[in-house]
């Protein structure tokens, strides 16, 4: 079953200008199979003509997390039909496309190969340019599609696989200010949920229970708080939550709610502290660019940006520091094909495309020049 479909083709198809580019975007880097068609006008305005996401959550639920081999097979099973439907919903055929874009990394290599190989086949047969998109770049550029927001802006990207603070300087230009030393933030939510028997994916369940709980009952650690570099670490928090749950076992409903609320309070305070630090670095390092009248803006994206407590805290922080706070619509914060198509359109507008032998990459940092974060196991 398709879990999401929005933006019908009709209103766009009739008044589409000749020079608008039409890009098909394919996303298969994790546990969502997604295909979308997006337009970009010569002036840089974007519109979504179709956007379909098929979640694999049911296939992975029994395992409490994403199983790479199951994910790759599930992408193979649905991708062709999903692409056909995305084109049909947009009211176009392959021949109408200007280009085809697919996520080439970072992500689970089996899934990436499914999407990228499919895009290569379409590009080859229909003689269209191919754009191999960095999944993180797609998240980073989404505000351009959804709100016409242009760089520079500060980006907090928080999902099941990534936790990064980046300065988006321009298309293809990113400076990573902070990353996680261990778990991604979404992973910390998912592991907390699993520990409490709340199922998978855990973020929404933890957030919901947190609303009923007392966030001051347990004083969980605020990892990295106060450190000068705006990096993150969630392993210690996860361990503290586990130890508390074990000490209290058997847990009653109140215990569960209070653990969720206390965990969420620790997360919100930690992330707010890290973003505050990133803002200070951003303001100092980009003093000249920001002094030229560019508005200061913080964008929050990735699945965890759906967390209302976190969004409220970030919004308050932005108000206090004179930033505009922007969060794309939730469906476009989490993984989707429209963001891949849009990143492809943006790169195409810069004259970029990729050869048909371009490879999928499990790791693909947006800012390869970023100094490694202290500690082992830093994610790209
Ligand atoms: O971006 P996303 O849909 O997929 C990737 O990981 O790329 O993010 C999914 C993550 C999961 O870890 C999920 O538990 C978390 O986002 N999440 C939330 C909330 N909604 C989703 N975490 C906290 N609060 C939420 N409301
Ligand atoms: Zn993502």
């Amino acid at each position: 079953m398709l879990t999401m479909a929005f933006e019908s083709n009709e209103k766009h198809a009739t008044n589409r200008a000749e020079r608008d580019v039409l890009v098909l975007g394919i996303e298969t880097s994790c546990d969502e199979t997604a295909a979308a068609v997006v337009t970009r006008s010569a002036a840089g305005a974007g519109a979504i003509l179709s956007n379909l996401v098929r979640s694999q959550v049911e296939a992975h639920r029994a395992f409490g997390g994403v199983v790479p081999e199951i994910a790759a097979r599930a992408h193979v099973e649905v991708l062709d039909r999903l692409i056909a439907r995305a084109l049909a919903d947009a009211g176009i055929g392959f021949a109408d496309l200007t280009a085809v874009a697919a996520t080439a990394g970072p992500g689970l290599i089996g899934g990436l190969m499914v999407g990228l190989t499919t895009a290569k086949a379409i590009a080859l047969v229909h003689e269209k340019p191919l754009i191999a998109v960095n999944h993180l770049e797609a998240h980073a550029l989404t505000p351009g599609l959804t709100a016409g927001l242009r760089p520079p802006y500060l980006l907090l990207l928080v999902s099941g696989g990534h936790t990064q603070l980046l300065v988006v300087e321009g298309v293809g230009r990113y400076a990573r200010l902070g990353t996680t030393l261990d778990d991604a933030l979404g992973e910390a939510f998912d592991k907390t949920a699993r520990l409490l028997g709340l199922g998978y994916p855990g973020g929404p369940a933890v957030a919901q229970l947190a609303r009923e709980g007392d966030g001051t009952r347990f004083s969980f650690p605020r990892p990295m708080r106060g450190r000068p570099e705006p990096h993150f670490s969630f392993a210690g928090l996860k361990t503290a939550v586990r130890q508390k749950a074990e000490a209290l076992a058997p847990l009653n409903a109140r215990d569960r709610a209070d653990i969720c609320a206390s965990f969420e309070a620790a997360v919100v305070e930690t992330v707010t502290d890290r973003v505050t630090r990133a803002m200070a670095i951003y303001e100092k390092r980009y003093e000249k660019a920001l002094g030229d009248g560019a508005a200061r803006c913080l964008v929050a994206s990735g699945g965890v940006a759906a967390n209302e407590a976190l969004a409220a805290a970030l919004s308050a922080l932005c108000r206090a520091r004179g930033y505009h706070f922007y969060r794309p619509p939730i469906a476009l914060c989490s993984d989707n094909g429209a963001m891949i198509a849009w990143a492809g359109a943006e790169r195409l507008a810069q004259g970029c495309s990729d050869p048909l032998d371009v490879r999928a990459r499990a790791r693909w940092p947006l800012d390869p020049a970023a100094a490694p974060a202290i500690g082992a196991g830093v994610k790209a």
Side-chain angles (χ1 to χ4, degrees):
M1 194 192 80
L2 299 175
T3 53
M4 201 192 323
F6 58 96
E7 288 283 342
S8 90
N9 52 323
E10 287 150 31
K11 70 176 184 285
H12 303 285
T14 45
N15 56 10
R16 201 183 299 137
E18 273 297 301
R19 280 169 305 144
D20 286 6
V21 300
L22 275 169
V23 180
L24 169 68
I26 298 169
E27 158 61 34
T28 55
S29 68
C30 192
D31 61 344
E32 249 113 33
T33 318
V37 178
V38 157
T39 64
R40 183 187 185 282
S41 72
I48 298 171
L49 302 197
S50 64
N51 189 21
L52 302 172
V53 179
R54 185 173 161 145
S55 170
Q56 302 178 353
V57 100
E58 290 309 325
H60 301 287
R61 198 184 291 283
F63 305 94
V66 179
V67 183
E69 182 63 16
I70 292 176
R73 282 165 193 264
H75 290 307
V76 171
E77 276 166 28
V78 300
L79 187 56
D80 285 2
R81 272 177 292 142
L82 204 66
I83 291 170
R85 176 126 176 237
L87 292 173
D89 279 7
I92 62 165
F94 284 116
D96 299 310
L97 290 171
T98 317
V100 51
T103 308
L108 301 173
I109 196 70
L112 290 169
M113 286 167 68
V114 172
L116 188 58
T117 306
T118 304
K120 286 177 180 178
I122 295 168
L124 182 67
V125 171
H126 299 281
E127 298 180 347
K128 306 290 177 187
L130 170 75
I131 299 142
V133 169
N134 182 311
H135 180 91
L136 303 175
E137 175 166 50
H139 277 301
L141 297 179
T142 298
L145 169 66
T146 54
L149 195 69
R150 293 281 148 199
Y153 46 84
L154 190 59
L155 172 74
L156 172 70
L157 178 58
V158 275
S159 71
H162 306 284
T163 302
Q164 301 204 349
L165 274 159
L166 294 155
V167 179
V168 180
E169 298 173 353
V171 176
R173 291 188 294 125
Y174 310 92
R176 196 202 71 195
L177 302 184
T179 187
T180 179
L181 303 181
D182 37 60
D183 293 349
L185 182 52
E187 221 176 326
F189 270 94
D190 293 337
K191 285 177 179 170
T192 297
R194 197 188 318 179
L195 186 77
L196 300 176
L198 301 178
Y200 169 84
V206 169
Q208 197 181 336
L209 260 195
R211 265 183 241 135
E212 300 157 23
D214 174 3
T216 61
R217 178 166 163 204
F218 306 113
S219 148
F220 289 133
R222 272 70 169 150
M224 311 294 279
R225 189 174 54 173
R227 297 273 187 97
E229 296 286 323
H231 294 311
F232 300 86
S233 165
F234 296 106
L237 174 58
K238 177 187 68 188
T239 305
V241 170
R242 182 171 46 75
Q243 286 170 343
K244 185 54 71 183
E246 283 168 2
L248 290 173
L251 299 174
N252 62 34
R254 172 116 316 271
D255 295 333
R256 276 199 195 85
D258 290 347
I259 288 177
C260 287
S262 301
F263 165 79
E264 193 179 69
V267 164
V268 168
E269 207 180 307
T270 304
V271 174
T272 307
D273 174 80
R274 308 290 62 214
V275 173
T276 306
R277 185 67 208 126
M279 284 173 163
I281 295 171
Y282 177 53
E283 287 158 23
K284 196 155 177 237
R285 204 183 286 176
Y286 295 84
E287 198 180 353
K288 213 162 150 240
L290 295 171
D292 289 345
R296 291 167 190 197
C297 182
L298 171 73
V299 174
S301 196
V304 187
N307 187 282
E308 292 304 334
L310 181 60
L314 293 174
S315 173
L317 172 66
C318 284
R319 262 197 311 281
R321 289 187 71 111
Y323 278 62
H324 171 61
F325 177 62
Y326 178 67
R327 179 171 62 151
I330 298 305
L332 297 168
C333 272
S334 50
D335 293 349
N336 64 88
M339 71 177 189
I340 304 303
W342 176 250
E346 288 281 70
R347 298 223 13 238
L348 196 68
Q350 302 229 324
C352 304
S353 65
D354 293 284
L356 286 177
D357 62 354
V358 64
R359 296 171 80 101
R361 303 169 61 174
R363 287 174 63 85
W364 186 0
L366 262 191
D367 177 6
I374 309 112
V378 175
K379 300 192 170 182

